[in-house]
Amino acid sequence: ALFMITLGIIISTLTVTSANHWLTAWLGLELNMISILPVITKQKHPRSTEAATKYFLTQAMASALLLFSSTLNAWQTGSWDITQLNNKLSCILMISALTMKMGAAPAHFWLPEVLQGSTLTTTLLITTWQKIAPITLLYMISNHIQSNILLPIGLLSILVGGWGGINQTQLRKMMAYSSIAHLGWTMTVISIAPNIALTNIIIYMAISTPFFLLLTSSSSKTLQTMTTTWAHAPTATIIMMLLLLSMAGLPPLTGFTPKLLILDKLVMHKLTPAATTMAILSLLSLTFYLRTMYLLASTTSPTTTQSTTLWRLKPNYYQITTILTPIALFNITILPALLT
């Protein structure tokens, strides 16, 4: 069963990313949704059932809107081609559908709730892999999107992502708001420089994957449980601390590169007020990243316990974490040269 579900999730995403026809893309998205529902409901708990129901309803609504938008476009222009979304209304409806699919503001309400009802591994899957399909579609229609539609959505997502995360003590909800904020950065620039937007989301996935895997292996679900991680695994704690700073976008870590490129492109396109607003709003996210980092590193004295303690880390994810951590932390200085 696990093999079939994993295969379904992978094939459905690949179907969407390689599709040229709107119906093929819709089919891939539907298969993707059906494949991930058993993963969310794996825990026999009312909260996970609620999370799966919320996920299903939101995704089904977004899929219906996507189908309506593509049908309207085909009716008006006679083309089912994804890159030929020429109808204005279809374009706006498609952006609404994909925004809802991804969980960007203002259609973000389902994301924190669904993540809170899922396990940390499922949370990782929803915040990274599940974003690939809608972002690919957004990338493919980016030449038809006007930046004055996506800029407000992006700015609102950054605001909601920062504002919502400040008050959270649950790590899964905090990471949901972090995901919303990063989607905001991606959406503001996707109509201006789609390659940079894609780079931003790839780097976000590369940072959040090792962070989630370390949370899973140290069984940390709240800010309170994070305070004891130091005594069990000092190295993992230092890596998590650096990953948080990278996610916040502080130089010289990798998370800083896409933010710098995005702000640079916005200023080049005479959108300096938007760039300034985004830079200021990202301070909201920085607040909760720094608070989490402080709880990780500064609340317990940096010494391992004297008694023989049980090693809490399960050595399941070390390979992936080891591969992704250097990418997530060491700034790829050659990146701007590749993108220009």
Side-chain angles (χ1 to χ4, degrees), residues 27-300:
L27 194 69
L29 288 167
E30 288 295 292
L31 181 61
N32 191 289
M33 177 187 74
I34 292 161
S35 302
I36 202 157
L37 285 174
V39 181
I40 302 171
T41 49
K42 194 180 168 204
Q43 287 178 297
K44 299 289 179 281
H45 193 275
R47 183 164 271 182
S48 59
T49 314
E50 184 192 330
T53 312
K54 283 177 179 172
Y55 186 81
F56 171 74
L57 291 172
T58 318
Q59 298 295 317
M61 206 186 299
S63 289
L65 199 56
L66 182 138
L67 198 59
F68 174 63
S69 164
S70 54
T71 311
L72 189 68
N73 184 65
W75 183 35
Q76 292 288 322
T77 63
S79 169
W80 281 98
D81 199 313
I82 291 177
T83 53
Q84 303 296 319
L85 197 71
N86 297 319
N87 189 346
K88 264 283 180 55
L89 180 60
S90 287
C91 204
I92 293 165
L93 287 172
M94 188 58 69
I95 292 165
S96 310
L98 294 174
T99 303
M100 200 185 288
K101 277 261 173 217
M102 287 187 285
H108 65 282
F109 296 100
W110 63 273
L111 190 63
E113 297 298 320
V114 168
L115 295 197
Q116 189 53 37
S118 314
T119 60
L120 280 164
T121 323
T122 314
T123 307
L124 167 65
L125 192 65
I126 295 169
T127 50
T128 54
W129 186 264
Q130 293 300 97
K131 301 271 185 284
I132 296 172
I135 281 180
T136 308
L137 291 175
L138 205 58
Y139 179 83
M140 288 163 85
I141 63 166
S142 59
N143 58 334
H144 292 289
I145 305 171
Q146 292 175 320
S147 58
N148 61 0
I149 299 170
L150 280 185
L151 262 176
I153 293 174
L155 287 168
L156 187 64
S157 294
I158 298 168
L159 175 67
V160 165
W163 207 253
I166 282 180
N167 206 25
Q168 298 302 330
T169 53
Q170 294 286 339
L171 286 171
R172 283 166 292 183
K173 276 195 175 178
M174 193 184 87
M175 292 310 290
Y177 285 108
S178 160
S179 171
I180 293 164
H182 277 88
L183 279 173
W185 280 86
T186 304
M187 292 190 78
T188 44
V189 84
I190 203 158
S191 59
I192 299 163
N195 288 355
I196 291 175
L198 218 54
T199 308
N200 178 53
I201 208 73
I202 289 165
I203 287 177
Y204 166 69
M205 288 174 187
I207 299 168
S208 61
T209 304
F211 184 72
F212 269 116
L213 293 177
L214 285 168
L215 283 183
T216 310
S217 56
S218 63
S219 340
S220 303
K221 290 195 178 87
T222 60
L223 289 177
Q224 193 179 359
T225 50
M226 278 188 106
T227 54
T228 59
T229 315
W230 188 281
H232 292 286
T235 318
T237 310
I238 292 166
I239 292 170
M240 279 160 85
M241 190 177 84
L242 289 168
L243 287 169
L244 279 166
L245 291 179
S246 184
M247 220 178 280
L250 292 184
L253 303 165
T254 307
F256 174 66
T257 309
K259 284 187 166 63
L260 180 68
L261 291 169
I262 290 168
L263 293 177
D264 177 50
K265 272 281 179 268
L266 288 172
V267 171
M268 276 170 68
H269 282 77
K270 296 187 170 53
L271 292 166
T272 315
T276 314
T277 313
M278 284 164 71
I280 292 166
L281 289 177
S282 67
L283 294 175
L284 288 169
S285 299
L286 181 66
T287 310
F288 65 79
Y289 289 129
L290 284 178
R291 182 188 59 188
T292 313
M293 197 204 81
Y294 170 76
L295 285 171
L296 261 175
S298 308
T299 47
T300 317

Side-chain angles (χ1 to χ4, degrees), residues 257 330-337:
T257 309
F330 305 120
N331 208 337
I332 312 155
T333 46
I334 201 166
L335 202 65

